[in-house]
Amino acid sequence: GQDGGSGNVSTGDANGPAPYRYVWLPPTTGGLAPIDPVCDAGSGTPGQPYTLVVQDLAGNIVNMEARCVATGPAGPVLPALPPVPSIGEIWRAALRQIPPPKIGINPRPTGLTGLETWLWYEGPEELQVSTSIGPWTVTGTARVQDVTFEMGEGRTAKADRAGSESDPAARYVYETKGEYRVVATARWGADFVLTGPGLPPRPTPMGVAVLRSSEDYPVQEVRGLLVPERGT
């Protein structure tokens, strides 16, 4: 098999939920009412000691920081915080370091009906990731979880590894000749650590991202011809 086709990236909805959210909690007396300003917000500016709380998607508190928030004529002026990147945005930033996969296929350039087509995923199976999105940093390891080959005639071949030319991940037999489009979908999982404002380095669930490649693959039919033996 020679080099396969180029790939495309699909990482879900960039506007989907962020893994964390900020909540400002004002100071209280006995948990009932705000107290008077008691801290210095800088340069002698009076302030109130708010607490910056970071919560995960389940509402669990993952970090808390005490901060002095300046008070103005209309009350406390809560500092603006950068938006937390969504899981899709984090994956896209990470996958910029992962080359699109190629489809390993043999025989090439043409398949044959009744003959096994060998398939494998040409690309890294594991990568170390270190990237940033504004003030947020992402580090960790991304790994291929499994690969699915859509063979173009309504059936698929699945593998739990990438495989290689000498040790294919999957085998498939075409039953009918034709022009097919083979699509390889590699699912990536990750152990990422996200760091940002108000959030010390923290392992963050990232779900699964997808790298997808495709290429056209013609399949021919070969039939044996019975030729009677001629006498001498």
Side-chain angles (χ1 to χ4, degrees):
Q2 295 85 16
D3 289 341
S6 61
N8 300 310
V9 177
S10 173
T11 54
D13 181 7
N15 297 316
Y20 303 106
R21 70 185 184 100
Y22 296 120
V23 178
W24 286 103
L25 295 182
T28 61
T29 54
L32 299 177
I35 64 175
D36 294 330
V38 294
C39 63
D40 184 357
S43 302
T45 303
Q48 289 183 333
Y50 271 67
T51 301
L52 176 63
V53 177
V54 185
Q55 296 178 325
D56 63 17
L57 286 174
N60 301 310
I61 295 175
V62 299
N63 195 53
M64 300 175 68
E65 289 185 3
R67 298 196 180 185
C68 189
V69 174
T71 55
V77 182
L78 297 177
L81 293 169
V84 182
S86 73
I87 290 176
E89 291 170 323
I90 293 170
W91 264 116
R92 264 197 292 278
L95 290 179
R96 284 198 294 265
Q97 303 180 32
I98 301 176
K102 297 180 179 180
I103 299 175
I105 191 167
N106 192 22
R108 190 192 291 279
T110 302
L112 296 174
T113 59
L115 177 70
E116 277 191 346
T117 297
W118 289 11
L119 302 155
W120 63 96
Y121 170 93
E122 292 190 345
E125 296 183 62
E126 180 176 304
L127 280 177
Q128 298 301 310
V129 173
S130 179
T131 189
S132 61
I133 307 172
W136 298 85
T137 60
V138 181
T139 57
T141 304
R143 301 178 182 86
V144 173
Q145 293 188 335
D146 53 59
V147 185
T148 299
F149 300 91
E150 300 172 56
M151 305 306 295
E153 59 174 4
R155 293 184 293 154
T156 61
K158 296 184 178 181
D160 58 3
R161 59 190 180 90
S164 65
E165 183 176 1
S166 60
D167 183 22
R171 302 166 189 255
Y172 185 85
V173 177
Y174 280 100
E175 299 177 350
T176 308
K177 68 178 180 179
E179 297 287 333
Y180 298 104
R181 188 160 189 82
V182 179
V183 179
T185 300
R187 297 194 319 138
W188 285 75
D191 299 317
F192 284 162
V193 172
L194 187 64
T195 308
L199 183 70
R202 178 176 176 81
T204 302
M206 285 289 120
V208 173
V210 169
L211 282 174
R212 183 174 288 113
S213 290
S214 63
E215 68 170 276
D216 294 328
Y217 188 60
V219 176
Q220 296 180 352
E221 184 179 51
V222 176
R223 294 184 179 181
L225 178 63
L226 182 63
V227 178
E229 182 179 357
R230 295 183 180 181
T232 56

